[in-house]
Each structure stands twice: as C-alpha cells, then as structure tokens.
Amino acid sequence: MIALSQFTSVAGCYSRLSGAETVEEITAVTDDETIDCNFSVMMDDIQSAAFCLANCILFILMTICGLCYYVARNHMLTDSIRKIMLKTTSDVTAEGSANSTMDKIFKDYRRTDGLDAGTKEKIVDATTFIKRKRSLLFLFFCAIGACIYFTTTKVDLGNNNDVVSFGTYQFNQCKPNAPCCNGVTQNCDKRVNEVIFPTSHNAMSSAAAGWLSPNNFFNMSASYEIGIRGLLIDMHLDNGEICFCHGLCSFGKTEASVELNLIKKFLDNNPNEVFIMFIEDHSEAIQGILNALDLAGLSDMAYARTKTQWPKMSALVETNKRIMLFHQTGYEGCVEAGVKCPEYFMDAFSNTFDTAYQYDDVEDIAHDCDLLDRGTFATGNLFVMNHFITNPVASPSFAHAVNWNPILKDRIIECSKTLGVVVNMPAVDFWSIGDIIETSQELNKVDVNEFYGI
C-alpha cells in the first residue's frame, strides 16, 4: 500500500512535469508544496513493487503460453501422423492391427521400420514440418515475452524521476557585460579541447516524447535550457524519413527536422553558446542527414576542423561557427554512400576517443579510465567519458547511483589527470538527475594546466 501511494504521488508529479518544456515551468512544478516531487526517497520502493508485479504477470502469462504450446505441439504431432497412417494402412483389415501399427508410430514418431519407402518419407516430412511449427511457436512466445518485458520497463522508467537538483543551479555564471562562452567567462580564452561540455547520452530518447525504455525524462529542448551542450544522438533512415531513433525506430523516434530546427532556434537566441553533436549513423542515411542539416540552417554554423589545434571558444562565438558535428561512419561511410561529405561533417573516431560504454554497476564505472580502440587518442582530439550504467537498459536508479558527486566529479578529475587531457564530454543518462551541470561549470572555471597538471 505504501508503494502504491508513493507510485500515485510520483505519477501525479511526473504527469505535470511531462507537460513542462522550459526551466521556469519545470521549476514551478517542483517548487509546488502541494505535490511531492522528491523522487529520490520513493524510487527504490516503487521500482521494487513495479518489478515484482511485472515479474508475477510475466510468470503467469508465460506459464499459460507454455501450456498452450505443449497442447498444440502434441495435437499437431498426433493429427499429422494419424492422417498419414490412415492413408497407408488400407491393406490392414483388422482394426487391432491398425491400432497396433499406429501405437508404434506414436511411441517414437521417427521410427519407420516395417513401412515402405514412400510412407517413411511422408512421416519424416511430417515430423520436420512439425518441428518447424514448433520453432515458430517458440519464437512467437519469445516475442510475447519481449513485448511484456519492454512494456513493463517503460512503466517503471516512465513513473520514476529525481528532479531534486533540476533548475537549482544557474548554468550562466558570467557577470553582466563580461565575456561569456557556454555560461563561463573563463571558457572564452580556452580552446575547445580544454572545455567541458555536459553531455546527454541518447539525448533524443525521452519519456516526454513517449519513447520505450527512454534514457531521459525530458525532451532535448529542455536539456538545452538547463545547460546540456553535448548531444550523443542516433540518426537513421526510417521509411524514407530521417529520424532520431535508437536501434528499432518502433521503440521511439522523433522527426529530425523538428529537433534540428529547435537546436537552430536555441543557438540563434543564445549567441554565446557552443554545441557538440556526436551522431551515430549508417551510410544509407548520410545524404538525408546532410540535407536535414542544410534545411535547418545548421550547416552554415558548423565548424570544420582542418588543423590539429582547436580554436578558442571566443573565436567560434565571434565567427558564429558554434556547432561541431561528428558522425560515426566517418570517411568510409561517405564513400560507401557515394556522397562527398563536407569538411564540417567530421569523422567522429578520427577526432575523438572514449571510455567503455557498457557498465553493469557502480564499481565498474567509478574509476574506469580505460579507452576503447575505436577512437584516436591524439593531440587535440576530444575525450568522451561515458558515465552511465546499462543493465540491461537505462534506469533512473542507475543514474541516481552515478550522476551525483563525489563519484561524477572524482571520475572526471581522475581520468583527466590519468590521461593528461581534459574530459570534454562527460555523458550521462537522465541528465535531470545529479550534478552534471554544476560539476561541468565549476571545473570549467579552473586553470587547466594548474588543476589537472596538463
């Protein structure tokens, strides 16, 4: 009953938060004393209750499916072989002899001794066909189980949130009339690879947009308002349309043109802000992605890296080249697609390197600074520190375990000092949980050489 009351409270708060798009609207909900939005206290009980209920339902349904499968299997086996035997026992006049022959077949339906070659072949074909039906039934029940699992996961993730710190930290730390780059005066005199861009993993995936098993509660435009400046996104071709989607587009997608126009609008309204967009793509989608960027007007604002040394942030602001676009397929993907990619559409793994992106628990992630072999560890390249747990999918409880300090801040500092480069894109799930914005801005104020010893 306690878990049910907590679930009701959280669901009520979340339903109001889902309709909020700006920081002011979200803060108005979280500051409302008539509704409890402190989800950190409720999260464990609610998740336990939700998963317990989901598992019970899943067990009952799978038991029913198993029984149906067993009955159907035996029915098909018996019926198929009986039909064959009725056609091949016309020379048996005594009813007992016919039943005796059929009993032998039912005892081991692969035995064909005593029958002519034609009958043997028919029975073998029948049993093979039955096995195929059995495999299809098995796959069907697996599909049912997967649907149940993902549906219950969506319910669990969609009604748990932690917005304790959401909106309580002011991203813009610049004094009036002072130079300002991404909310910090000190950033303006730093080069791109010396700045931290707080980053959202699978930024397009949100509960607010109705995604299944989302990585965030709120949509991308809300993340810009709060201070997210790095976006790890997936762009793919779905039914001839370029969409933001991850894996199966049926699990969730948003129209690329809509989101790209919102990014352009935000950059136009905030002329001191610089974005990084890291795109997971496939070669068949490259031309469509480039077209979408052109139509949104982002290609004109995109910076093309042609030298090892990055420019200072102030130079990007002054020239209005305030978005950096990296795509995973890189040069090879462009060649495969038969597209001459522009310089601003940069090869991700020639310009960045990153840590592992699959962590199962807090112990795995806490002090891990080992790099994957898919990027390029070289002077000036940007450092992506993946800081999220996926086991088997993203969860607010996982974000709650790793998004807060000291674990987040300590890992950024440790990895920067260990590798001798600044962590540029600390990427988290559920950016509305934890200290990602505050930690990034506070570390952006320090002198890189003195603090990290670089």
Side-chain angles (χ1 to χ4, degrees), residues 94-152:
E95 184 178 350
S97 298
N99 288 336
S100 176
T101 304
M102 291 172 67
D103 286 342
K104 290 180 181 179
I105 297 298
F106 296 151
K107 184 176 182 181
D108 181 0
Y109 59 84
R110 291 293 304 210
R111 288 185 59 198
T112 57
D113 45 303
L115 299 176
D116 60 73
T119 304
K120 290 180 182 180
E121 184 177 350
K122 289 180 180 180
I123 293 179
V124 170
D125 288 343
T127 55
T128 301
F129 178 66
I130 291 166
K131 283 188 174 182
R132 289 175 181 172
K133 281 188 176 181
R134 188 167 58 190
S135 298
L136 291 174
L137 279 173
F138 176 74
L139 292 175
F140 175 71
F141 294 137
C142 285
I144 292 176
C147 290
I148 296 170
Y149 170 76
F150 283 116
T151 302
T152 54

Side-chain angles (χ1 to χ4, degrees), residues 171-237:
F171 174 78
N172 191 335
Q173 298 286 300
C174 301
K175 295 180 180 179
N177 301 319
C180 197
C181 299
N182 279 21
V184 175
T185 297
Q186 291 89 331
N187 280 342
C188 292
D189 200 41
K190 291 180 177 180
R191 299 191 182 279
V192 171
N193 60 306
E194 298 175 324
V195 176
I196 298 176
F197 296 76
T199 299
S200 173
H201 172 237
N202 284 343
M204 69 288 171
S205 170
S206 71
W211 284 57
L212 199 63
S213 297
N215 293 82
N216 303 282
F217 285 111
F218 305 104
N219 55 34
M220 288 173 62
S221 58
S223 74
Y224 318 148
E225 295 286 345
I226 206 68
I228 292 295
R229 294 295 177 265
L231 305 172
L232 302 185
I233 61 173
D234 295 27
M235 296 182 72
H236 299 292
L237 196 61

